[in-house]
Amino acid sequence: MATSSQSSVELGLHEVKDYICNACEDQNNVATSADFYCKQCERFYCGTCIDPHGKALAKHTTFGRVEIDKWPVSKKVVDFLQTCDVHKDHKIDQFCNLHKQLCCPQCISDQHSQCSRVTPINELTNTQPTDLQGLSVELKTVLGEIKSLHISQEASIESLQKTYKEHREVMIEQMCGNLNTYIDECDNNSVGTSGGNEQYLKEEMCRSVLSIMNEFDNITAKELNEMKDEVISIKESVTSSIHKCTSLHNDLSHFHEFVQKIGDNKELCLIASIKCKHIIQQALTLLGKSGKVFNVQSITKHNVRIPSDKVVCIMRGICVLPDGQVLVVDWNNENVKLLNQQYQVVSHWDVNAEPVDICLITPSEVAVAVNDHDSQIHEVQFITVNQEKLVPGRKFQLQHDCRGIDHHQGVLFVISSEELYKYTLNGKQVCSLYRSFEYTVDKCAVSPTGDRLYITSYWDKLHTLARDGTHLATYSDTALEWTRGLHVTPAGQVLVCGRWPNTVLQVGWEGESKLATLATLEDGVRYPRSVCYCSTTSSIIVGQGWDDTILVFRVE
């Protein structure tokens, strides 16, 4: 059998090089890239060596690189598949059924010596199915989705830059308009004035123009800098995600090539199958399509009432920063509270109306939806967390009531009692995505990739929409009566709360079925109003109504 290695790619930390000409390797010990494969010889040849081979063995069948799918899997690929990902000097020879992991002898010694269900690979080949054809189809499908995600993320970066540029131009135009308006007024007032009054008007004009310029420097420039920082931070996050897409796309592409060439080696097929499933799960997590069901390990309760609170706390929204700090919006006391990693209130900020929801914008900034029917206040307020302090920033007004808010890569989704809107970061309404005439809607959430939107109705429904607002699915459950809290984790797991049944459910990312009931009244759930997942601590945080507390579920 010919020996060679695959084209220069990176699979995680593994490098698999190009197919090598066996003739050059035999004659000169030189690694020359191969351009042909001879089926009868089972050897690889470069463009130079294929000529003497063809003259001597004219009846042999050779395949060039245009038919590379007919080339066999290389020895380097075989070595790659059989080599332990952790211990590079050891070969995989066993499988831990308990942890669903391929193991080498060192893995067994280090981590799996106490595991009761460790089986040699050669004993699994007849009992463990290896549908490589099915895996090939699944790999191809996921490859297409990763590519689409990559394109979408690049479009998000372009949109972000456009939003900031437009906002800057509007701000400068407004300043110029203020200056021109004032100068025109001064010109009109100066008609028929005496010399002394004219000098006074000139001095007053200079002072006013200076005041307008100072206002631009002190207020508008600050607002522009805030948005610029947001754009830079979001762009960095999206760029990081693009790099993950590129890496996974490369890995998936080469595994797709591998599984089509492995042949009848049962052990190699089994190893490749398990490794493929692992890389597919990584891709599904990046795509926000994780099917992993949370398993609650423990539940603790934490009081978030502060001395200045006049009535019972009702947490309408929760947001977790990457460092583990938690922000809750207390609708009843009209404030936003910052909790440290131990869930103790360390700072708060009083809002000018009822805060109804909150979402993460950057690692240190959030947006709060504020709504008050009586005073007709409907706005989005940005707040930065700086050294355990809440610092209010810019805000913009809405022309409709608001009940919920979420954010994805520079796009804000704001929901009223009957309609879902799309906004830019500078408050420009892009469009209305969805409107309901049958029920009152309450919360909205966006998937990690931005291709699915979720909406809760007051009664017992969760609606799933496509990116453009097209209705995809509706899930109805009596356990979600008076549905309130809604959150989508970074892996795409959907968490929903039923206020009256006192339940917290996990729903599939398709929005079509319940995967698990995570907690109920018996676990201490009391009128849940909000929910959020913290990756830092692997916890689900539930904001309650009418008892001043949040619940923290430690999950696996």
Side-chain angles (χ1 to χ4, degrees):
M1 172 66 74
T3 61
S4 59
S5 42
Q6 195 89 355
S7 63
S8 252
V9 297
E10 256 195 27
L11 290 161
L13 299 176
H14 307 277
E15 185 181 29
V16 187
K17 296 181 185 278
D18 201 1
Y19 284 94
I20 302 302
C21 174
N22 296 130
C24 288
E25 197 172 31
D26 292 344
Q27 294 171 15
N28 308 311
N29 198 27
V30 175
T32 306
S33 180
D35 299 304
F36 298 90
Y37 170 69
C38 176
K39 182 178 180 180
Q40 285 76 16
C41 296
E42 294 187 332
R43 285 170 65 83
F44 297 90
Y45 298 93
C46 65
T48 302
C49 295
I50 194 65
D51 289 338
H53 168 272
K55 291 175 181 177
L57 303 165
K59 293 184 179 182
H60 281 200
T61 303
T62 58
F63 302 105
R65 282 191 176 268
V66 292
E67 298 177 289
I68 199 168
D69 58 317
K70 297 179 180 178
W71 293 20
V73 64
S74 68
K75 183 179 182 300
K76 284 284 187 179
V77 170
V78 173
D79 289 343
F80 162 71
L81 290 173
Q82 291 181 333
T83 298
C84 176
D85 291 339
V86 179
H87 308 101
K88 310 301 181 190
D89 297 331
H90 294 275
K91 298 289 185 181
I92 293 166
D93 61 357
Q94 298 188 71
F95 181 74
C96 177
N97 290 278
L98 181 64
H99 295 98
K100 305 300 180 185
Q101 290 180 358
L102 292 165
C103 305
C104 71
Q106 193 63 48
C107 291
I108 301 297
S109 175
D110 292 347
Q111 297 178 328
H112 303 275
S113 58
Q114 303 301 314
C115 297
S116 57
R117 300 176 60 198
V118 177
T119 310
I121 291 291
N122 58 11
E123 293 181 14
L124 283 176
T125 53
N126 293 323
T127 59
Q128 196 92 349
T130 54
D131 180 14
L132 292 185
Q133 185 176 356
L135 274 176
S136 179
V137 172
E138 191 172 0
L139 282 164
K140 189 174 181 179
T141 300
V142 174
L143 270 168
E145 293 181 358
I146 289 286
K147 185 177 180 180
S148 296
L149 175 59
H150 192 160
I151 293 170
S152 172
Q153 289 170 330
E154 289 181 334
S156 293
I157 289 179
E158 290 182 13
S159 178
L160 273 170
Q161 293 169 330
K162 181 181 177 182
T163 296
Y164 173 71
K165 183 179 179 181
E166 288 177 349
H167 189 56
R168 181 181 61 189
E169 289 173 353
V170 168
M171 294 294 100
I172 294 174
E173 186 177 334
Q174 287 179 352
M175 181 195 69
C176 293
N178 291 339
L179 287 171
N180 290 331
T181 299
Y182 183 76
I183 290 170
D184 289 342
E185 289 176 357
C186 288
D187 285 342
N188 293 333
N189 292 334
S190 65
V191 176
T193 57
S194 62
N197 287 335
E198 185 177 345
Q199 179 62 30
Y200 171 78
L201 284 173
K202 287 181 179 179
E203 292 175 357
E204 183 64 22
M205 180 191 292
C206 289
R207 283 193 292 270
S208 296
V209 168
L210 185 60
S211 175
I212 292 172
M213 296 298 292
N214 285 337
E215 181 179 356
F216 180 86
D217 288 340
N218 296 331
I219 299 175
T220 310
K222 179 177 179 291
E223 183 176 318
L224 284 172
N225 285 332
E226 285 179 1
M227 179 169 283
K228 184 178 180 181
D229 290 342
E230 286 169 8
V231 169
I232 291 172
S233 180
I234 295 169
K235 183 179 176 181
E236 288 175 350
S237 175
V238 178
T239 301
S240 174
S241 184
I242 287 175
H243 289 159
K244 291 178 183 177
C245 279
T246 303
S247 176
L248 265 176
H249 191 277
N250 288 339
D251 290 359
L252 289 163
S253 295
H254 293 286
F255 266 109
H256 183 251
E257 185 178 336
F258 296 165
V259 298
Q260 294 176 321
K261 297 182 178 181
I262 289 174
D264 298 326
N265 185 321
K266 290 186 176 181
E267 289 188 26
L268 199 61
C269 284
L270 180 58
I271 292 171
S273 173
I274 294 169
K275 286 196 172 186
C276 275
K277 289 175 182 176
H278 178 68
I279 198 75
I280 287 172
Q281 282 305 312
Q282 289 183 44
L284 291 176
T285 298
L286 183 64
L287 290 166
K289 294 183 176 181
S290 173
K292 179 183 177 182
V293 178
F294 286 119
N295 181 21
V296 178
Q297 301 298 300
S298 64
I299 301 177
T300 56
K301 181 182 286 191
H302 305 268
N303 194 296
V304 296
R305 187 177 180 86
I306 57 177
S308 60
D309 287 341
K310 297 178 181 178
V311 288
V312 68
C313 304
I314 299 179
M315 275 64 73
R316 286 281 297 268
I318 295 178
C319 182
V320 180
L321 302 183
D323 63 4
Q325 293 184 94
V326 180
L327 290 103
V328 296
V329 292
D330 185 344
W331 172 75
N332 223 19
N333 289 292
E334 298 187 357
N335 60 36
V336 179
K337 296 170 180 173
L338 175 66
L339 317 182
N340 60 18
Q341 289 88 340
Q342 290 73 46
Y343 309 107
Q344 301 165 328
V345 181
V346 294
S347 180
H348 78 280
W349 180 70
D350 294 324
V351 190
N352 62 337
E354 296 168 346
V356 292
D357 205 0
I358 188 170
C359 67
L360 190 69
I361 303 296
T362 74
S364 60
E365 184 186 46
V366 297
V368 179
V370 179
N371 195 66
D372 193 310
H373 291 289
D374 296 334
S375 59
Q376 292 298 299
I377 296 176
H378 315 297
E379 63 187 31
V380 174
Q381 170 73 63
F382 292 82
I383 299 176
T384 300
V385 179
N386 187 7
Q387 296 182 344
E388 293 194 341
K389 297 293 182 184
L390 299 178
V391 183
R394 75 182 193 285
K395 60 183 177 182
F396 63 82
Q397 305 300 315
L398 303 170
Q399 300 304 311
H400 54 81
D401 71 320
C402 54
R403 293 178 176 272
I405 188 170
D406 206 356
H407 167 257
H408 180 261
Q409 295 180 356
V411 177
L412 287 169
F413 298 91
V414 181
I415 194 166
S416 70
S417 57
E418 61 181 19
E419 199 159 359
L420 177 64
Y421 300 91
K422 183 178 177 180
Y423 282 86
T424 61
L425 284 175
N426 62 347
K428 178 183 177 182
Q429 187 183 118
V430 179
C431 63
S432 169
L433 286 168
Y434 184 77
R435 184 166 188 176
S436 169
F437 296 96
E438 300 176 0
Y439 45 79
T440 301
V441 289
D442 187 63
K443 294 293 181 186
C444 64
V446 59
S447 69
T449 56
D451 62 337
R452 292 177 307 284
L453 302 163
Y454 303 90
I455 297 175
T456 59
S457 72
Y458 256 30
W459 311 119
D460 61 357
K461 293 180 175 62
L462 172 71
H463 303 276
T464 304
L465 315 176
R467 190 193 307 268
D468 62 359
T470 302
H471 189 273
L472 298 177
T474 295
Y475 174 68
S476 180
D477 193 326
T478 54
L480 293 178
E481 187 179 359
W482 278 73
T483 313
R484 282 298 186 268
L486 173 65
H487 177 71
V488 185
T489 74
Q493 294 128 312
V494 183
L495 306 175
V496 198
C497 300
R499 181 184 175 191
W500 289 130
N502 300 298
T503 55
V504 181
L505 306 185
Q506 180 180 344
V507 177
W509 63 266
E510 303 94 336
E512 297 176 345
S513 61
K514 179 179 75 173
L515 298 184
T517 299
L518 300 177
T520 64
L521 182 65
E522 294 179 355
D523 301 304
V525 179
R526 299 287 187 278
Y527 306 119
R529 300 300 297 269
S530 55
V531 62
C532 192
Y533 175 71
C534 177
S535 302
T536 308
T537 58
S538 296
S539 300
I540 295 172
I541 306 168
V542 177
Q544 310 224 82
W546 309 109
D547 73 346
D548 300 328
T549 65
I550 60 170
L551 294 179
V552 179
F553 308 160
R554 297 281 181 174
V555 295
E556 285 186 351

